[in-house]
Amino acid sequence: GGEGMRWSASSNAEFFPEANLLWLDCAKISTAFGWKPRWRIRKAVEKTVEWAKAYRDGEDTVRLMERQIHEYEREGCDDA
């Protein structure tokens, strides 16, 4: 879980003019190659929070990242 972590969306577009240009769209790769993400957004965010907490706590983030990559590669698509 994300105990001790907080996130809030900012609507200060004037401070981040590139925000309207920087977004991900998987439509092309999905159409061309049949690609789909292995993890749903919830799991991806959980893994990001896990990494952020490890970084905050001074843990070995390289080892954690390698473990997360191997976990991602081992799992099939998360359609559930």
Side-chain angles (χ1 to χ4, degrees), residues 3-68:
E3 301 84 19
M5 302 300 270
R6 284 184 25 150
W7 178 85
S8 64
S10 174
S11 62
N12 298 328
E14 67 272 11
F15 297 114
F16 307 103
E18 72 279 9
N20 291 327
L21 301 173
L22 301 176
W23 56 282
L24 298 176
D25 181 359
C26 301
K28 279 188 179 180
I29 195 167
S30 179
T31 300
F33 300 106
W35 180 88
K36 60 183 177 178
R38 293 181 184 205
W39 289 346
R40 292 193 166 273
I41 190 70
R42 180 179 186 89
K43 187 164 191 174
V45 170
E46 287 173 355
K47 296 300 179 181
T48 302
V49 169
E50 180 183 21
W51 187 93
K53 288 169 73 174
Y55 178 81
R56 177 196 65 193
D57 296 342
E59 296 176 14
D60 186 348
T61 54
V62 172
R63 174 173 259 149
L64 173 60
M65 182 176 54
E66 289 172 345
R67 184 176 55 76
Q68 288 180 339

